[in-house]
Amino acid sequence: MTLVSGSPVEAAQAHAQAAVPAWAQLSPEQKTILAPLEKEWDSLEPERRKRWISLAARYPKLTPDQQQRFQQRIQEWSKLTPEQRGQARERYKQLKNLPPEKHQELRQRWHEYQQLPEEKRQQLREQRPPAPPPAAGTGTQPPR
Amino acid sequence: MNEDDLARRIVGQLDRNLAELPASATQKLQAARMAALSRYRADLPQGRARALALPRWFSGRSLTLRLALPLAIVIASITGLLFWQMSAPHEDELDTGLLAGELPIHAYIDPGFDTWLQHTSHTPQQ
């Protein structure tokens, strides 16, 4: 174990840093998967690096399309604030169990939303969403 | 003579004298002991009394009953843990789903899209 001449806090920080690998210490496969993070990797918090290593371990199980999207979105995800990541997870949890046809509908709605003029989208962002319709009869409420 | 031998001799003397005590004295001693014990139980703090009550409950039950409670606690704990793991997806799983899913990440955090979904219908919302 390395002796650290600083305070206990510095020693703890040094230990935490040592627990997660620097970019140079990643395996070639991890480097390929996490390539979009190469420049910022060594400045990422240890917890974030651990999470990315954990996510990279799931990457080989994804389909080629999913792998492509995964890599394309790495930087976007990394730039979100912790609050935004939490918000995205919550919303994802709500929608992930919808039937396949509803996922298709969601993608269609997103496409339509993207086609709206920016002013309209901004207007929608500033509006409070109306109360959801009664669940009975619509059959469109997600499970749970 | 070492300490153990001495202790044995003293205990022997005391026991001999105890056997020769008159019946009235033994009765008084027994009554005093019972009174002291009942006062001690009454003075016990609530938590301590409960802590002592459980071993008493255990000692008064059959082996099957004594095993049933800890076993039920273990089974309930494992069931709870499994249920928690199944009902609350791990964050890694959520992050992978968000990163690799068909809907862009931005769709999950854009409040305008939520409003759009509400406005345009029967859309999945919670």
Side-chain angles (χ1 to χ4, degrees):
Chain A
M1 185 178 158
T2 313
L3 287 177
V4 182
S5 57
S7 68
V9 175
E10 284 169 340
Q13 284 171 345
H15 180 75
Q17 291 288 335
V20 288
W23 181 261
Q25 294 169 309
L26 294 180
S27 70
E29 190 187 9
Q30 287 171 327
K31 282 184 183 174
T32 307
I33 298 167
L34 301 172
L37 293 173
E38 180 176 2
K39 284 181 186 166
E40 58 192 295
W41 180 265
D42 289 338
S43 62
L44 286 177
E45 293 165 5
E47 281 307 311
R48 295 289 310 143
R49 276 191 261 175
K50 278 186 201 170
R51 172 57 63 83
W52 278 118
I53 288 170
S54 180
L55 294 180
R58 290 169 170 261
Y59 180 89
K61 295 172 195 161
L62 302 175
T63 66
D65 281 350
Q66 289 174 325
Q67 289 182 345
Q68 192 182 1
R69 289 195 289 264
F70 184 102
Q71 282 206 307
Q72 283 169 349
R73 293 176 188 165
I74 282 181
Q75 278 204 326
E76 183 187 358
W77 185 246
S78 183
K79 282 179 183 145
L80 295 182
T81 65
E83 290 74 26
Q84 286 174 317
R85 283 196 289 268
Q87 187 189 338
R89 286 183 193 117
E90 280 308 307
R91 192 75 179 116
Y92 178 79
K93 268 197 281 188
Q94 289 171 2
L95 300 176
K96 74 188 282 274
N97 292 325
L98 288 173
E101 66 273 14
K102 290 290 172 195
H103 282 280
Q104 174 59 40
E105 189 182 326
L106 266 179
R107 288 194 295 277
Q108 177 62 31
R109 291 296 160 77
W110 175 251
H111 181 70
E112 290 166 7
Y113 178 72
Q114 291 299 98
Q115 303 303 310
L116 297 175
E118 176 53 30
E119 300 77 40
K120 174 68 178 168
R121 276 185 276 157
Q122 188 54 36
Q123 195 185 343
L124 288 167
R125 284 182 198 116
E126 289 163 6
Q127 278 178 25
R128 188 184 174 83
T138 63
T140 55
Q141 293 296 310
R144 288 193 293 166
Chain B
M1 179 189 308
N2 62 28
E3 281 185 15
D4 286 345
D5 291 337
L6 179 62
R8 267 194 289 277
R9 280 172 175 244
I10 291 172
V11 170
Q13 285 295 329
L14 288 172
D15 284 349
R16 230 185 339 268
N17 291 339
L18 190 66
E20 292 160 9
L21 277 177
S24 61
T26 0
Q27 279 167 4
K28 278 182 190 169
L29 281 171
Q30 190 176 5
R33 183 169 181 273
M34 295 310 289
L37 277 174
S38 61
R39 271 200 304 277
Y40 173 71
R41 285 191 189 121
D43 291 347
L44 273 180
Q46 202 67 5
R48 178 116 187 264
R50 270 200 294 273
L52 289 176
L54 196 60
R56 273 206 302 275
W57 184 89
F58 270 98
S59 63
R61 263 59 181 183
S62 70
L63 182 64
T64 314
L65 267 178
R66 276 183 278 161
L67 285 175
L69 182 62
L71 200 63
I73 292 172
V74 170
I75 290 172
S77 307
I78 293 173
T79 310
L81 187 67
L82 285 175
F83 180 76
W84 176 78
Q85 282 192 331
M86 286 170 72
S87 60
H90 198 273
E91 277 198 356
D92 284 355
E93 186 189 330
L94 297 178
D95 289 6
T96 310
L98 278 157
L99 283 156
E102 292 187 343
L103 210 55
I105 292 171
H106 204 61
Y108 296 99
I109 55 173
D110 188 337
F113 183 49
D114 266 4
T115 319
W116 175 248
L117 288 176
Q118 294 275 355
H119 274 283
T120 51
S121 80
H122 41 275
T123 337
Q125 270 297 309
Q126 278 200 344

